[in-house]
Amino acid sequence: MDFQWFVNLFTGTGVAHSILLIAVVIAVGLLFARIKIGGISLGITWILFAGIAAGHLGFVLDPTTSHFVKEFGLILFIYSVGIEVGPGFFSSFRKGGITLNMLAAGIVLLGCSITYAIHLITGEDLYAMIGVLYGAVTNTPGLGAAQQTYSDMHNGEFNSVFAQGYAMAYPLGVVGIILSIVLIKWMFKINFEKEQNLYAANQRLNSSQVKVVTLEVINPAIDGKTMADVQRISGREIVATRIMHRSTGDIELVDETTKLQLGDRLFMVATPTDMEPLTVLVGRELTDVDQTKWDSDTHNELVSERFVVTNPKLNGRRLGDLKLRSTFHVTITRIRRAGIEIVASPALLIQMGDRVTVVGAKNDVNKLQGLIGNQVKRLDDPNSLMTTFIGIALGVILGSIPIFFPGIPVPVKLGLAGGPLIISILMANFGPRLHLVTYTTTSSVKLMREIGICLFLASVGIGAGDGFFEIVANGGYMWVLYGVFVTVIPLLLIATIARLVCHLSYMTIAGLISGSMTDPPALAYSNGLAGTDQAAVAYSTVYPLTMFLRVVSAQVMVLIGA
């Protein structure tokens, strides 16, 4: 039997050959990604290394197929990143998040500045140093944004030096971030018990998490007033769900007509920052109350249930427009969205996938379940498929708009990285207002992200393989050292400021470092240090802005080198 067709499939240049080559490179890279040394893995970056090896051995991609796979993979990856970080993007700037995000922005700025300084001092190619920068900070979206911006400026030309610099700096970038966290622990002689106390103190100052409390009415000024009167007096939204009357001991739902009497007890939901004014207005907080008593079936069968919003008709609707108290005689007190607990208010827009806490009589709560949906299996359906492609289309259009700046010879574009990123963040935040379903299951977002980055890394790696080892032999090994500088110096400087000036706990600093480098292995290491979620909270706070800044700064640096 003639097997020449099989040989041609591997050695040819057609579309079938390109798809086969990309699939093999991705499979080999993912196989090596399982390797861990000291608990640390280079992850899917092995796909880039596998692609470089294939390119070095002489394998090439069909130019048209390579261009499409690389660009479409980048779009999928960047768009899924935006959908993932979008829900928490704007909320991450609130209160304590401002300090953390300013520190994270400082790490990004310092990394870019050190990279440019090395370029000026050593004369190294700026584009190579940009690749080194994004390998050193383990940020693949930045690599994609830099390559895309360069391609837009040079009529689609591919520059392999970005990927080569990235590949040289990435391994020690992963290790350097974790070593920096260890070094900071040694520098400040960390005691984990004291760190817990420091973190708790900071949380009391900055927390915006929802708190469930019981207040006893002792203020004579509101004796005999209705809840509507109290709302007007306070000038703020008060979420009180149930009241226990002192005279009878009965528990009932609270609405605007509920009258308060001295000695009554109110079951309320509030943020810690609201607690002081509410306590002044209503009375003292009771800390020895059995909260489960409020949900007892012996008191008018009042229950508290949590339902998942799966009814598309509710997407983008204002909570107040549903008139739940007058129609169903129930109250929604809290909404959990993207891992964040939100106090319910009439102006709050409902989104698919929200988890709402409902309080009311058992029969009434069961009736509301039909309106909310609570059919979790419906969330497994690709409800946001149309919205996703609308967003990608808008992102490509936005990224293709030429913007002219004085002194820059070519028009600036957001490109296929910046455009989809901005649109996906906006869609995740404001899509429900246009009644667009933007909810996507975590597994779906992750699958889209991983497919996109695998396609991108495979095609970039194969293109960068030709001449890679010659560059290393001719001085490219110095890029590893430069990468260490870019990794470690910004982290140590900002960590010192965070500790001595901002008085942040060590675990918060560890999460800040991991998030500013968008590095999951570092986060996993940080979480294991003290067995708490402090690092994860800081990581999730700075991750959205950091990812955005990494992509934008990559484009700016390429434009500087134009």
Side-chain angles (χ1 to χ4, degrees), residues 65-353:
T65 305
S66 174
H67 187 71
F68 171 78
V69 168
K70 182 164 70 256
E71 307 300 352
F72 189 63
L74 178 63
I75 290 173
L76 288 179
F77 177 60
I78 291 292
Y79 188 85
S80 63
V81 166
I83 288 295
E84 184 179 33
V85 305
F89 184 77
F90 295 104
S91 62
S92 66
F93 299 107
R94 296 173 185 166
K95 298 177 183 176
I98 296 177
T99 299
L100 288 175
N101 276 291
M102 288 180 65
L103 292 170
I107 292 175
V108 175
L109 180 60
L110 274 174
C112 294
S113 300
I114 292 172
T115 301
Y116 194 70
I118 293 174
H119 156 68
L120 294 178
I121 294 171
T122 65
E124 289 281 3
D125 182 86
L126 179 59
Y127 299 137
M129 288 309 303
I130 293 173
V132 169
L133 165 64
Y134 284 94
V137 300
T138 68
N139 187 266
T140 310
L143 170 68
Q147 179 65 69
Q148 177 60 44
T149 303
Y150 180 90
S151 180
D152 288 342
M153 293 171 55
H154 296 83
N155 299 317
E157 179 183 342
F158 175 77
N159 191 339
S160 61
V161 75
F162 288 105
Q164 291 165 348
Y166 178 92
M168 291 296 295
Y170 189 94
L172 279 187
V174 174
V175 176
I177 296 169
I178 295 177
L179 289 180
S180 296
I181 295 174
V182 174
L183 184 58
I184 292 165
K185 178 185 175 186
W186 173 80
M187 287 170 54
F188 296 110
K189 298 179 175 59
I190 296 301
N191 179 295
F192 282 109
E193 183 177 349
K194 292 181 179 179
E195 296 307 303
Q196 293 282 15
N197 296 332
L198 177 59
Y199 177 77
N202 288 335
Q203 282 297 94
R204 286 192 291 270
L205 289 174
N206 299 318
S207 176
S208 61
Q209 295 298 306
V210 172
K211 184 178 181 181
V212 178
V213 297
T214 301
L215 297 183
E216 182 179 6
V217 180
I218 62 174
N219 184 2
I222 63 172
D223 184 28
K225 302 288 187 184
T226 65
M227 279 302 300
D229 296 330
V230 177
Q231 296 269 19
R232 284 193 293 269
I233 294 172
S234 66
R236 65 178 64 231
E237 178 66 28
I238 299 177
V239 182
T241 60
R242 282 154 285 180
I243 184 171
M244 177 185 289
H245 294 291
R246 178 187 180 186
S247 57
T248 63
D250 289 339
I251 298 176
E252 64 180 30
L253 286 177
V254 174
D255 59 27
E256 293 183 348
T257 63
T258 300
K259 284 190 176 183
L260 305 181
Q261 303 291 337
L262 293 179
D264 288 349
R265 295 183 174 187
L266 280 173
F267 188 78
M268 310 182 72
V269 179
T271 62
T273 53
D274 288 332
M275 280 308 302
E276 183 177 350
L278 285 176
T279 304
V280 171
L281 175 66
V282 178
R284 65 189 180 95
E285 179 182 356
L286 303 177
T287 58
D288 58 346
V289 177
D290 181 6
Q291 303 288 5
T292 60
K293 184 178 180 181
W294 289 99
D295 297 331
S296 173
D297 284 354
T298 63
H299 294 87
N300 299 328
E301 295 189 357
L302 289 180
V303 296
S304 176
E305 299 283 355
R306 176 162 283 189
F307 298 142
V308 181
V309 178
T310 59
N311 183 357
K313 294 180 180 179
L314 297 185
N315 191 61
R317 294 279 302 277
R318 290 175 70 253
L319 186 58
D321 293 340
L322 300 182
K323 303 185 184 305
L324 298 180
R325 287 185 178 178
S326 59
T327 305
F328 292 92
H329 309 295
V330 298
T331 301
I332 289 180
T333 60
R334 286 163 284 171
I335 292 181
R336 188 168 184 81
R337 176 184 301 162
I340 300 173
E341 198 96 333
I342 306 169
V343 176
S345 66
L348 187 65
L349 296 178
I350 300 174
Q351 298 184 19
M352 284 280 286

